[in-house]
Amino acid sequence: MQNLPVDLGGYKLMVTEAPEMKTRVDRETGQVVPSMGYDSDEPQYVVVLFAKAREANANGRRSKGEEIKVTLPRDPGDGFEEGALVELSGATVSPYEIKDGGQITMSGLSFKARTIVPLGG
C-alpha cells in the first residue's frame, strides 16, 4: 500500500533542516542530479521535521517525538528556517523495504506532502 493519507494534526511539527533539493546519483554518469517527480518536470525537495505529540497519552506522558523526512513536489519557497513551526497539507505515508540478495536490509516509512505551510507567529 502506497501513499496512505495521514493526519499529523495532533503533532507539533518543527523544521530541523530547511528544505533542500532532493538529489540522486545518475547510474550512467555518476553525477549528482536533481530527483524529479513522476508527474512533473520540477525537482523535488526534502524537509526534515521533528514531530512531537501535542497532547499526553493515557499515562499522562507525551512521546519523545520523532524526526521525519518529508518529500515535497516542488520548492516550498522561503519561511522554513530551522526552528520554524509548520503544518503539512496533503500528507501521505508509504512503507518501504530495501532488499539485497533477497534479504531485507532496510525498512521504514516514507513521508510526502503536497505543501508545507508556516504557522503564524
Side-chain angles (χ1 to χ4, degrees):
M1 295 176 69
Q2 299 291 309
N3 298 319
L4 301 168
V6 62
D7 179 5
L8 296 172
Y11 291 84
K12 185 188 315 185
L13 303 175
M14 182 179 70
V15 175
T16 57
E17 291 181 30
E20 57 183 46
M21 189 181 302
K22 187 174 182 178
T23 59
R24 63 177 180 81
V25 175
D26 185 296
R27 290 183 185 177
E28 294 177 12
T29 66
Q31 292 181 312
V32 176
V33 296
S35 179
M36 309 302 262
Y38 292 111
D39 56 353
S40 172
D41 291 335
E42 292 185 68
Q44 297 179 88
Y45 278 72
V46 175
V47 63
V48 181
L49 305 174
F50 188 76
K52 185 167 179 132
R54 292 183 184 275
E55 296 184 16
N57 62 21
N59 298 330
R61 294 185 178 163
R62 285 191 349 172
S63 67
K64 291 186 179 184
E66 188 76 29
E67 192 170 75
I68 60 173
K69 287 185 179 183
V70 181
T71 300
L72 304 168
R74 64 192 54 81
D75 183 354
D78 296 330
F80 302 104
E81 292 79 22
E82 186 175 331
L85 295 178
V86 298
E87 61 183 24
L88 298 175
S89 176
T92 63
V93 64
S94 298
Y96 70 87
E97 293 179 345
I98 297 175
K99 296 181 180 181
D100 185 11
Q103 192 77 7
I104 297 173
T105 59
M106 188 184 306
S107 63
L109 297 173
S110 171
F111 289 88
K112 293 180 182 178
R114 196 171 43 251
T115 59
I116 183 172
V117 180
L119 292 180

